[in-house]
Structures are given as structure tokens and as C-alpha cells.
Amino acid sequence: MAINLSNVHFSYPEHPKSPVLNIQSWSLTKGEHAFIYGPSGCGKSTLLSILNGLLCSNEGNVTVLDQRLDKMSRRQRDAFRAKHIGYVFQQFNLIPYLNAIDNIRLAHYFGKSVSTSSLNKEITALLTTLNMPEKDWKKPVRTLSIGQQQRIAITRALINKPTLFIADEPTSSLDKGNTDSFMALLMSVIKKYGITLLFVSHDMSLSQYFNRVESFTDINSEEAFQYAN
Amino acid sequence: MLINIAMKSLRDRKGSVALSIMAMTISVFVLLSVEHIRHQTKENFANTVSGVDLIVGARTGSLNLLLYSVFKIGSPTNNISWQSFNTITANPKVKWAIPLSLGDSHKGYRVLGTTKQYFEHFSYGKKHRLAFKQGKAFTGIFDVVLGAQVAKKLGYQLGDQLILAHGIAKTSFSLHNDNPFKVTGILAPIGTPVDHTLHVSLQSIEAIHHDGKFTPLSNALEHLQPKSITAFMIGLHSKITTFKMQREINYYTPEPLLAIMPGVALSELWQTMKILENTLILVSILVLISASLGICAMLLSSIRERNKEIQLLRGIGASPFFLFRLIALEALFILAMSIVLSTGILVTILVLTQDYLASSFGVQVSTNIVSLGNLYLVSSLLSTSVIIAMFPSIFGFIESKKNTLSE
């Protein structure tokens, strides 16, 4: 099992009386590519934060890659996230003043998986696979287009050879053409490295890329419509 | 990696970082220069006279006596008789004595009537004797030895003739026209009031106050014994007898006299400057505090701006402690930079203005700013920096622990 949730409850400490998540049971098998759709503000990102260990559920069993996140300390979760989970956000995936290579190196620094000697080769290989022109590697990423930035984000998420890849609306700031090429690239590298993918979006048109499609409202039985923040 | 990110992040915000560095540099500069000049002035004052055991003058305040005899500031209250000078210096405890006669001037510079003993025994700083840059001590009645600044400012050379004026005002109506003086020696600069003094023999002071034209041929030096002098300095055979000698002079019955120990009077003088000194330090500390608060505010607001960046770093696995170190490093860099810059500016300014300070204020300021006081100051600045850096870092630490992946 890549992910196994049972009886997970969560509410923000600032609003303890308005629960955001109530998940009875949900799981994701290794190698699966799952697409979860739902309107924005329904708690999708909150769930993802729990899955990558930034937040801790109030109660319930959160197992990711056969490890109990709810039993780990904050420090352990930070290390776990850096090492095993590749994460791509909606936007602001990269430190704007660092260049592509430095951004990737930074992720590697926190993950500490690949030996440093082969790191440059890895980065070069990944950036080439993701069609990044070499002249853009050393530019601060803020000078690059959003499409390019999202591609660097994939590279950054892959540098530590994650077992689980989580994408949180990564295409919402891209236009149709860029979205298609982003999805094609993402799916090809995911398949190539055999990574489990959890993809969250409100854009139903992306469901064509996935073999498992679910509505977030079917997973989360918390009826009331909650705003995460 | 940490240093790399910190440097690149600072470079990314160069505008506000440069401003913070500037504000901090100015305040550190003020603090360092106040401390340096204070230290130097104190040293200068203490260096003005050394090796003199007692200064004797008419009964007045000890500060007053010190000021007019050594610093040539203010006016003597009264003269003392030549008789008293002879009686006291005849005491077997006395090794040497330098009579001082003040009251005349030349173009605003004080004229000191004395004897050759002055060039042999008067010392300054760490017991340095006066040295001649050119020429030698006065021998004739109308010979004058110039302090370094007098010669430099008024452009006098050896052999030049000059006229002394009665009184100490810059423009005097009563010139001693009849008896021009000839420059026989120029002293090397030492950065004390000696530089601003003209030295003549006691006899010439008598001679110029003599009515009518004085003919050197008709009167030998011995015939011009002064009737009174302003003050005198004495050196004793043994330091242990200083207090005893001081008492003896203070209880001298024929005339009310006052004997002071220069070191004691100098520290008294310094005590009176204490308020000014403390005010300067207080002002510079206030400047420093305001600059520190400015930097705190800058860093705190930058953390708010960088909320997304912090979230991202957390998202890719950075621990809150990493963020704490990152922000602390940035703050420390700004502060260290300011300290280095201000030290550099201070040294540069000192090198450039050293001559000006010496000639305009008579303050000999050393360019070597490494002093115990400044070392304390810099180390306390560094520890303050750590404290200043702490606030935004703790704030960043707390911020980064909060929920991060907001939509």
C-alpha cells in the first residue's frame, strides 16, 4: 500500500469546532495513478498536507509507504517527506532567486539520498528528459516562463527518487497547450520511474490521463463545505 | 548550501539589504568613532605633561593652575615672586625646576618665558623629551624657539624676525616693537600645546617690558633677573617625597602658593569632561538601538513577504531549525558587513583627516583604532547582533511550524 487512511479526522487548531476532514477509509496501491477532483476549498490541500506530514491528523491512522505518519515526530516527518515524497504545488514551486540547478540541489540537500558525485549527472539527465533548454539552467527561475518553472518543479520533485508523487493542482496556472505538454511529460516520467501518483485538481478534463478517478466528496464524509484557510 | 541560499536571498533583496547595511554602518561608525576619539583625547590630555612631579603657582584652583600652566588655556590669577621660586627650588629634595612666565603673545600664539631647563627636563607622552626639528635652544635675549605649529602656520624659518605683543589677544595694540626676536630653533611636532607656543628666555620677558629701547650691549643677561614668574614645574630626586614637598609648598608662609601633581589634576580635569563623554556614548548607543530595531523590522517584514518561500522550503523537507539558521545567518551577515564597513570608513576618514585634526584642534588622533575599548565595543556589538538576529529567526521558526500548504 502506498497510502492507507482509516478514520482520519482533522480540524485546524484555530477553528476546532469546524472539522475539515473525516475520512473513514481510503487507500492507494503502489504504482497506481489516482486523480482526485473536487472544487477548491473543500479540504483537498489539507489532506495532502497530512499525507506529506506537514500537518498531523487529530485522530486516525495515516499510513504512507507503510509508515505510520501519525506516530512520527515532526523532525521524522520532515525527513520522511524530503526523502520519499515528490511534491508539486499549484504555483511557487521554486525559490525564485535561485536558478534551476540550485533549486534542484536544494531539494537534494534535504533528501540526502543520491551521493553528491553523481548529482550533477542526475540533474542534467532529468532536465534533459523534461525538455529544458540548457541555456535556462543557470538563470534565476523567476525569469523563466510558468510552463518551464512547472517542469523544473517536476525535476526538483524527482531528484530524490521518491516512491510517491503528489501533485496539487500543478496545471491551474498553465494554459491549455502548456497543460497538455506538462501532463504528457509528468505521466511519461512517472511511468518511466514506476512512481505512485496522487494528482489533485478541479479540472475534470485531466482525468483522461489516469486509471483511477475519484471525487473528493466521496472520500471526505465531512458534509459541511469547509474552507481550509 | 545554507550559506549559498542566504547569500543569494540577500542579493535578491539588495535594495532593502543595502539600506539596512547603510543604517547599521552609520550607527556603528558613530559608536566606534566616538569611542576612538574619546580614547584618543583622553590619551592626549594625559600625554601633555609627564615626568613633572609638581606644578607650583599662585593660590588658585588646581584645575586652573593646570590649564594655564600646561594647556595655556585661561589666564593666571596672580604671579609669584622670583624670591619664592629661588627659596623653594633651593630645597635639597628638588632635582630640577622650570620657571614659566606667561602673558605675552604673538599673533594669537602664547609666548612662554622660561629657561634652558625647559628643553632638558620637560617631557610629554611616555617621557619623551622635546626635540628640535631645526636649530637649537635660545642663547641670546632676543632669541625665540617656535613650536611646530607656530612655525608651520605663520611660515617662519630659522633666522626670521618677529615681534611679540603684550597680552594674549590675537590683535594687540601694545606691541613690543622696539625689540624684534630672531628664530633660533623650531621644535618637532608632538601634538600637545607646546606646538602652539613660542619659547623665549625669562630675561627677554623682562627686557621687552623694560621701558624704552633696550641695548643688549649695555646689559648682560644676569642683570635682567625677573622679579616675578607665573608658575614653575619641579622634578624631585625621589617620587616618595612628592607629598611632603607638596605640603611644604602649600604651607609656604611668605606667599600663598599652590602645588599640584599633574597626574591628579589631569584626572580631575577628565572627570569634568565625563558628562560630555557619557552624553556622546549615550547618543551613539541610541543611534545603534534605532538601527538595530530598523534591521529587526526589515527582517520581520521580509519574513512575511517570504511566507511562500518558507512554505516551499518546508514542503521540500527543510526543518524549522534550518529556516531559523537561514534567517539568523542573513541578519548576522548584514551586521557583520556593517561592522567591517564602518571600521573601514573610520580608518579611511582618520587617515584623511589626521593632519586637519592635528592642526585645527591640536588633537593628535592615531589611525590605529585597535584599542581595548574598541575591542570590547566590537565584541559587544557582535553579541548584540546575535540577539538582534534572534528575534526574526524565532519569528521565522514559529511561522514555519504553522500550517504551510495553504491554497
Side-chain angles (χ1 to χ4, degrees):
Chain A
M1 279 293 152
I3 300 173
N4 196 4
L5 303 176
S6 68
N7 211 17
V8 173
H9 291 264
F10 182 81
S11 59
Y12 282 96
E14 297 87 4
H15 310 284
K17 295 245 166 77
S18 45
V20 181
L21 293 179
N22 178 10
I23 298 169
Q24 293 305 317
S25 174
W26 190 78
S27 61
L28 187 66
T29 328
K30 273 178 189 162
E32 244 185 326
H33 302 160
F35 179 78
I36 296 176
Y37 66 91
S40 47
C42 64
K44 296 191 304 268
S45 291
T46 308
L47 173 62
L48 297 186
S49 296
I50 288 175
L51 289 177
N52 74 12
L54 275 173
L55 290 177
C56 199
S57 60
N58 299 112
E59 56 181 281
N61 184 333
V62 179
T63 309
V64 177
L65 306 171
D66 305 320
Q67 302 214 42
R68 286 285 297 269
L69 283 189
D70 52 309
K71 292 276 199 293
M72 284 185 187
S73 70
R74 204 197 62 236
R75 188 182 289 269
Q76 284 171 319
R77 280 180 291 157
D78 286 342
F80 176 81
R81 172 169 65 253
K83 203 165 163 56
H84 299 293
I85 302 178
Y87 208 104
V88 175
F89 305 91
Q90 185 171 344
Q91 49 181 306
F92 210 93
N93 269 297
L94 306 165
I95 308 287
Y97 49 82
L98 296 179
N99 63 31
I101 291 179
D102 281 340
N103 264 293
I104 299 165
R105 279 175 172 278
L106 185 62
H108 173 261
Y109 171 79
F110 293 123
K112 298 174 180 89
S113 56
V114 199
S115 68
T116 321
S117 56
S118 62
L119 179 63
N120 288 330
K121 271 187 211 155
E122 301 260 345
I123 294 175
T124 312
L126 274 171
L127 284 171
T128 317
T129 314
L130 288 157
N131 296 336
M132 278 296 298
E134 197 171 344
K135 65 177 171 60
D136 293 334
W137 293 3
K138 292 279 173 69
K139 287 183 188 166
V141 293
R142 72 148 57 95
T143 59
L144 304 176
S145 73
I146 298 180
Q148 280 179 314
Q149 289 188 24
Q150 292 301 74
R151 271 184 276 157
I152 297 168
I154 299 178
T155 320
R156 195 219 55 219
L158 289 173
I159 192 64
N160 290 327
K161 298 197 169 72
T163 343
L164 175 64
F165 197 104
I166 299 177
D168 184 6
E169 305 233 24
T171 58
S172 64
S173 46
L174 301 178
D175 58 24
K176 185 77 178 74
N178 270 316
T179 302
D180 290 343
S181 61
F182 176 86
M183 287 310 291
L185 272 172
L186 178 65
M187 296 320 284
S188 75
V189 289
I190 290 292
K191 285 190 180 111
K192 185 177 168 192
Y193 294 102
I195 302 167
T196 312
L197 174 65
L198 177 59
F199 193 105
V200 168
S201 178
H202 65 275
D203 185 0
M204 270 303 283
S205 67
L206 300 175
S207 61
Q208 48 164 321
Y209 294 97
F210 298 87
N211 49 23
R212 179 177 167 185
V213 177
E214 272 184 83
S215 164
F216 187 70
T217 43
D218 294 340
I219 303 167
N220 186 10
S221 52
E222 192 54 58
E223 289 294 319
F225 203 72
Q226 301 290 344
Y227 284 90
N229 270 317
Chain B
M1 190 52 89
L2 184 71
I3 294 168
N4 182 24
I5 301 177
M7 289 304 123
K8 285 188 173 158
S9 131
L10 285 173
R11 205 191 303 156
D12 188 52
R13 291 172 291 131
K14 13 179 158 31
S16 59
V17 169
L19 276 177
S20 315
I21 290 182
M22 242 148 70
M24 200 62 194
T25 303
I26 290 171
S27 59
V28 173
F29 171 76
V30 169
L31 203 61
L32 281 181
S33 46
V34 164
E35 169 60 23
H36 182 63
I37 289 173
R38 188 186 65 84
H39 182 75
Q40 287 289 313
T41 322
K42 200 169 181 173
E43 207 141 81
N44 262 303
F45 266 86
N47 281 347
T48 309
V49 57
S50 73
V52 173
D53 291 318
L54 290 170
I55 299 172
V56 185
R59 194 157 292 168
T60 173
S62 59
L63 274 186
N64 194 27
L65 177 55
L66 179 81
L67 284 176
Y68 73 67
S69 63
V70 175
F71 292 94
K72 323 258 175 6
I73 296 170
S75 313
T77 41
N78 204 355
N79 271 9
I80 54 178
S81 71
W82 185 245
Q83 177 63 37
S84 305
F85 172 73
N86 281 332
T87 316
I88 289 166
T89 53
N91 189 304
K93 288 195 277 288
V94 176
K95 190 177 171 194
W96 50 263
I98 306 169
L100 307 170
S101 187
L102 294 156
D104 285 326
S105 69
H106 175 72
K107 297 192 177 162
Y109 292 99
R110 302 278 179 116
V111 173
L112 173 68
T114 183
T115 60
K116 279 187 186 171
Q117 301 278 310
Y118 184 79
F119 303 107
E120 283 162 30
H121 296 293
F122 183 80
S123 49
Y124 65 96
K126 293 180 174 65
K127 305 237 166 122
H128 296 294
R129 292 281 145 75
L130 296 174
F132 282 89
K133 199 171 98 189
Q134 288 175 304
K136 51 184 174 47
F138 43 72
T139 43
I141 304 172
F142 296 114
D143 287 351
V144 59
V145 171
L146 304 181
Q149 285 298 329
V150 180
K152 195 176 163 196
K153 279 286 159 83
L154 302 178
Y156 286 130
Q157 305 287 331
L158 283 185
D160 282 358
Q161 301 236 318
L162 51 94
I163 287 164
L164 303 187
H166 190 69
I168 53 175
K170 203 156 191 166
T171 44
S172 175
F173 294 106
S174 154
L175 295 173
H176 301 297
N177 273 331
D178 307 333
N179 307 299
F181 279 77
K182 199 177 99 199
V183 179
T184 61
I186 294 169
L187 295 170
I190 58 171
T192 77
V194 171
D195 288 354
H196 299 265
T197 309
L198 296 88
H199 308 84
V200 298
S201 67
L202 275 181
Q203 287 77 12
S204 38
I205 296 278
E206 285 304 308
I208 53 177
H209 292 102
H210 211 269
D211 283 336
K213 178 92 177 161
F214 174 76
T215 47
L217 288 174
S218 63
N219 287 280
L221 281 178
E222 303 83 65
H223 296 125
L224 281 168
Q225 279 311 333
K227 286 174 221 40
S228 70
I229 54 171
T230 312
F232 60 95
M233 295 172 173
I234 51 182
L236 302 169
H237 286 289
S238 160
K239 295 258 177 223
I240 304 159
T241 56
T242 311
F243 285 105
K244 195 155 183 282
M245 192 66 204
Q246 188 183 21
R247 263 171 67 91
E248 279 176 32
I249 296 169
N250 287 341
Y251 285 101
Y252 180 75
T253 35
E255 189 174 14
L257 292 181
L258 173 73
I260 58 165
M261 282 182 277
V264 176
L266 277 169
S267 64
E268 263 177 52
L269 179 61
W270 199 249
Q271 281 300 318
T272 62
M273 311 280 255
K274 202 85 191 168
I275 293 174
L276 183 69
E277 191 187 344
N278 288 344
T279 314
L280 280 176
I281 290 178
L282 189 69
V283 168
S284 41
I285 286 175
L286 286 176
V287 172
L288 183 75
I289 289 174
S290 74
S292 306
L293 288 176
I295 286 186
C296 263
M298 193 280 281
L299 285 166
L300 284 175
S301 69
S302 86
I303 289 168
R304 289 217 184 276
E305 277 167 33
R306 296 162 76 193
N307 193 23
K308 292 235 162 190
E309 190 184 321
I310 290 173
Q311 286 180 13
L312 170 65
L313 284 166
R314 290 282 289 133
I316 61 172
S319 61
F321 183 58
F322 178 87
L323 291 156
F324 174 85
R325 282 185 299 165
L326 179 65
I327 296 161
L329 194 68
E330 290 182 12
L332 281 179
F333 176 79
I334 291 178
L335 296 158
M337 196 70 189
S338 316
I339 293 176
V340 170
L341 268 179
S342 51
T343 316
I345 292 174
L346 180 60
V347 172
T348 319
I349 287 184
L350 283 177
V351 169
L352 293 178
T353 59
Q354 199 178 20
D355 288 340
Y356 174 76
L357 283 175
S359 58
S360 308
F361 297 99
V363 194
Q364 205 82 326
V365 179
S366 143
T367 49
N368 176 20
I369 59 164
V370 181
S371 69
L372 200 63
N374 269 344
L375 282 181
Y376 278 137
L377 202 63
V378 168
S379 51
S380 64
L381 274 176
L382 281 174
S383 39
T384 321
S385 318
V386 174
I387 296 166
I388 295 169
M390 221 39 96
F391 287 108
S393 313
I394 289 169
F395 182 73
F397 181 82
I398 293 166
E399 272 301 272
S400 68
K401 276 173 84 174
K402 285 189 189 158
N403 166 41
T404 46
L405 298 179
S406 54
E407 273 171 85

